[in-house]
Amino acid sequence: MVNESQEKQLCHVALIMDGNGRWAQRHGVSRIEGHKQGAIAVQKLIESASEFGIKYITLYAFSTENWKRSREEVNGLMDLLKEFIDNNLEHLQKNGIRLLASGRIEQLPEHSRESLKNAIKLTADNTSGTLILALNYGGRSEICDAAKKFAHDVVKHKIDIDELDESRFRDYLYLSEVPDPDLMIRTSGELRLSNFLLWQLSYAEIYVTDTLWPDFDRDEMKKAIDGYYQRERRFGGRG
Ligand code: IPE
Ligand code: IPE
Ligand code: MG
């Protein structure tokens, strides 16, 4: 039985980093420039995360639907991903942060994928915190992929259909060992999930700010966290 203070401890924050395009438009620059400013905001956020005692941060960086964007924008985002990893690897190592990825990573272009895999390998033993990049991630794809893996295990007689429950199903999700997010932050004011962590966000507290992602800084993060600690989490109980 988890006590109330443990339930409330903020362990995992998931962020939908939205609004780079609107930021670019407002500043009269290209969308790619908006994404570059977004990457700088990520860098700063990682630096402030330890101050808030957050163990896990998941960043929605590229959705399974984002392939619909222009080739120029998609290529720019993929190049930026490699650049971001190469620029931040040293910081991750110095601060003991482990990097993980969630999503259909094998479909990313080779240069970004190799850089990502290398950083994941090099930071695997770090224990101070975990940074998860949701890349080519879709909540529906994740659930479909889990269902497929489960079906394969049934066919191979590794598990019986009747053994399936929520906890066993969870084992088939992309990063099953990572606890569910306690807080989900979305920037830029949109009131939707956009296919993000559909299973894991079932009981997350949701915080939406109008601030555009490139303007999201330590003070904005603090506001969201302070807001979280004022919520009453019920998990369906205490009727
Ligand atoms: C979020 O910013 C970044 C990604 C989806 C990769 P957007 O590019 O969606 O910004 P808006 O929504 O157009 O402002
Ligand atoms: C969600 O933002 C995906 C990421 C932040 C990576 P989108 O901009 O793609 O979401 P929609 O299109 O507004 O729902
Ligand atoms: Mg958007």
Side-chain angles (χ1 to χ4, degrees), residues 60-78:
Y60 203 5
F62 194 87
S63 76
T64 46
E65 287 72 34
N66 288 149
W67 298 106
K68 290 179 200 161
R69 298 187 180 199
S70 71
R71 187 198 288 237
E72 190 193 356
E73 184 171 353
V74 169
N75 289 345
L77 282 166
M78 294 303 157

Side-chain angles (χ1 to χ4, degrees), residues 123-179:
T123 61
D125 295 327
N126 292 347
T127 54
S128 297
T130 301
L131 177 69
I132 300 160
L133 297 179
L135 288 162
N136 192 20
Y137 176 86
R140 288 181 175 178
S141 317
E142 178 176 30
I143 292 168
C144 280
D145 288 349
K148 269 193 209 165
K149 281 188 251 165
F150 171 70
H152 277 295
D153 278 358
V154 170
V155 171
K156 286 189 231 146
H157 302 287
K158 286 190 183 166
I159 188 166
D160 193 81
I161 287 179
D162 292 327
E163 285 177 62
L164 188 67
D165 58 14
E166 289 180 15
S167 145
R168 299 302 290 269
F169 189 76
R170 195 200 159 80
D171 293 341
Y172 290 94
L173 295 172
Y174 292 147
L175 298 173
S176 55
E177 72 283 8
V178 173

Side-chain angles (χ1 to χ4, degrees), residues 16-22 31 35 66 69 73 186-188 190 192 194:
I16 301 181
M17 311 186 286
D18 199 14
N20 295 349
R22 276 162 280 181
R31 289 185 64 85
H35 293 311
N66 288 149
R69 298 187 180 199
E73 184 171 353
R186 181 167 190 149
T187 57
S188 304
E190 242 61 76
R192 53 178 172 259
S194 302

Side-chain angles (χ1 to χ4, degrees), residues 210-227:
D210 285 334
T211 301
L212 304 175
W213 176 254
D215 295 327
F216 190 86
D217 57 12
R218 180 216 164 268
D219 291 349
E220 293 282 341
M221 186 70 170
K222 182 159 180 354
K223 238 190 272 177
I225 292 173
D226 288 347

